[in-house]
Amino acid sequence: MKLIKNSHRHSQFVSSLVLTGILSLGAGIILMDAATSAPKQAQPTPGNLNGRPDRNNRLPAKIANAVRQDLSRQQNIPVGRLRIVKAERKTWPDPCLGVSRPDELCAQVQTEGWQVVVSDGAREWIYRTDSTGKTVRMPNTPPGTGVNVPGAVGDAVKRDLSKRLGVPADVLLIVKAERRDWPNGCLGIDKPDMMCTEAIVPGWEVTVVRDDGEATSGQEKWVYRTNDTGSVVVLDESASNIGDAGGSKSIKATQIPSGEMPPALGKDEIFRAISTGGFAGRTYETILKRNGRVVQVEINNSGATNETEIRRLSTQQVKQFQKFLEQQRFSQFKGLNYPAAQGSADFITVTLTGSAGTTRYADSIQDQLPKNLQEIILVWNQIAAR
């Protein structure tokens, strides 16, 4: 097997973990061995320019200044009027930060950086940066524009789409908002079973995309119509680009009832999957231990158990898997349940538990789950395979 050594420090998990100590990252293969990786002392914390631990996870001043200066040039707004209202670490899919420009070639190497929200007090702009501030870009928003929508309206739109997609509201981005006067109380989207008041309703047309750290050109978008306050929000499916994976056709997550939550992980456990159902009706627990042991426990109808060790991971592999869970933001699925389609039979319910929480899904709809969750399942299934 050919091993491609990647000198970029920010290469991360994207695809599956091959249990020989090698990580498959889609575009290449990287040997994650101590002999080929830089010494820990030589690896500064991403976003910290002096290499010391960034205890408060603060945006480095150099990056903040680079973003403000770029926006100042684009909008002709004095730098002093611009302030950073939110900043969080992100892993972008390439050095172009997932927003490549026409005729620009971007290496398929994940890049650590930041997502930064800047405000002039009336409008907000969303930026992406690398970890040094040398590359700063504004995704989806054409130069010279800003998203200026009342907070209550934006929050109402995000809440509705969050429920539709079964994803947290913080992975949704408003990329366009325009004033509109709608022809009636149904905001111009009439339905046979609805009575609409015949009066002009001022409001907004709001466009939303998902921010998964992926390239944004040509991605799905959801267009909403709202009234002036956000008390009425309607998805305009004809104006949206949602295909079969969005809107009303998407898998809708529910909350796992508190009485159905599994016990917390043990002190010596890193990750656990409980599989139950199917025609056989068997229940299996597969557990990754802190010492690298992967064990499977079969629980029969009488409650008796039978434990089998599947394999052992190295300490490095365990750390890699933990880091992968963080990068894929497993915590965003905490408490969410993705049920099987109504009328389905012979499906297995899988409950995944990590330190960041628990999520549950039916294996029959696995290919319709959020992309990050699918990636987690893919990697875990390779670890748990006999």
Side-chain angles (χ1 to χ4, degrees):
M1 179 182 292
K2 183 178 180 182
L3 303 181
I4 301 174
K5 297 182 180 179
N6 195 322
S7 60
H8 294 272
R9 293 176 180 172
H10 304 307
S11 296
Q12 311 287 350
F13 272 111
V14 171
S15 184
S16 57
L17 175 59
V18 181
L19 298 172
T20 57
I22 298 174
L23 299 181
S24 171
L25 279 83
I29 298 176
I30 301 178
L31 181 62
M32 301 296 286
D33 188 276
T36 60
S37 58
K40 291 183 179 178
Q41 304 94 300
Q43 298 178 356
T45 302
N48 191 325
L49 301 179
N50 57 20
R52 294 192 297 270
D54 194 352
R55 289 176 298 178
N56 297 317
N57 201 33
R58 293 175 179 170
L59 180 72
K62 184 175 181 179
I63 295 178
N65 291 336
V67 169
R68 293 166 67 218
Q69 289 170 5
D70 184 84
L71 185 58
S72 174
R73 287 192 298 268
Q74 290 198 41
Q75 297 290 320
N76 195 28
I77 300 173
V79 173
R81 284 180 51 195
L82 299 174
R83 64 188 182 90
I84 308 297
V85 296
K86 184 179 180 182
E88 58 181 324
R89 294 185 186 274
K90 291 286 187 179
T91 301
W92 308 118
D94 52 50
C96 299
L97 314 182
V99 282
S100 58
R101 293 164 181 162
D103 302 323
E104 184 177 35
L105 297 178
C106 303
Q108 295 300 304
V109 178
Q110 290 192 328
T111 301
E112 297 294 334
W114 293 80
Q115 179 171 283
V116 182
V117 181
V118 195
S119 174
D120 65 352
R123 294 170 292 174
E124 291 185 352
W125 294 263
I126 301 168
Y127 268 84
R128 295 182 179 187
T129 84
D130 62 5
S131 62
T132 67
K134 291 182 179 179
T135 304
V136 296
R137 296 193 175 180
M138 203 181 338
N140 296 295
T141 310
T145 65
V147 178
N148 181 18
V149 61
V153 172
D155 290 344
V157 167
K158 286 186 177 182
R159 278 196 304 271
D160 184 86
L161 188 54
S162 173
K163 292 178 181 178
R164 287 176 179 268
L165 301 181
V167 300
D170 62 6
V171 304
L172 303 174
L173 290 179
I174 294 175
V175 296
K176 186 179 180 181
E178 296 181 348
R179 275 283 191 182
R180 290 283 189 268
D181 285 327
W182 307 116
N184 54 37
C186 297
L187 310 185
I189 302 180
D190 301 347
K191 296 182 181 180
D193 57 344
M194 291 181 63
M195 296 292 292
C196 304
T197 57
E198 295 299 328
I200 299 296
V201 177
W204 294 84
E205 183 178 77
V206 181
T207 303
V208 189
V209 300
R210 283 183 61 166
D211 179 36
D212 291 322
E214 303 289 333
T216 55
S217 59
Q219 75 178 109
E220 294 176 328
K221 68 177 182 181
W222 292 263
V223 179
Y224 274 84
R225 298 183 181 189
T226 83
N227 63 357
D228 210 29
T229 63
S231 61
V232 179
V233 296
V234 180
L235 176 64
D236 185 350
E237 295 190 17
S238 63
S240 301
N241 175 26
I242 55 181
D244 291 336
S248 59
K249 297 181 181 179
S250 63
I251 293 297
K252 296 180 180 180
T254 60
Q255 288 291 320
I256 302 174
S258 58
E260 297 177 15
M261 292 292 285
L265 293 174
K267 292 182 179 180
D268 65 336
E269 297 175 349
I270 296 292
F271 198 77
R272 180 184 63 218
I274 302 175
S275 302
T276 184
F279 284 137
R282 294 179 179 175
T283 298
Y284 293 91
E285 288 189 12
T286 308
I287 304 167
L288 171 60
K289 303 280 190 176
R290 209 166 279 278
N291 62 6
R293 292 181 66 228
V294 182
V295 299
Q296 188 171 83
V297 180
E298 180 179 359
I299 305 173
N300 61 30
N301 293 333
S302 64
T305 61
N306 179 31
E307 180 177 307
T308 303
E309 181 174 306
I310 298 175
R311 61 171 50 86
R312 285 180 180 263
L313 302 187
S314 68
T315 300
Q316 179 72 357
Q317 288 172 332
V318 172
K319 291 180 179 178
Q320 289 167 0
F321 180 63
Q322 289 177 292
K323 187 175 183 181
F324 170 68
L325 292 175
E326 294 176 2
Q327 292 165 350
Q328 296 296 320
R329 293 185 293 177
F330 182 66
S331 60
Q332 69 183 294
F333 307 112
K334 180 178 180 180
L336 296 183
N337 173 48
Y338 297 90
Q342 189 172 4
S344 298
D346 193 26
F347 62 86
I348 295 175
T349 299
V350 183
T351 304
L352 303 177
T353 301
S355 60
T358 292
T359 189
R360 186 170 71 185
Y361 70 94
D363 67 344
S364 58
I365 51 91
Q366 181 175 322
D367 60 347
Q368 301 173 58
L369 297 174
K371 185 176 180 181
N372 282 16
L373 184 53
Q374 288 190 45
E375 295 285 352
I376 292 169
I377 294 168
L378 177 64
V379 171
W380 172 250
N381 285 348
Q382 292 223 1
I383 291 176
R386 283 182 174 272

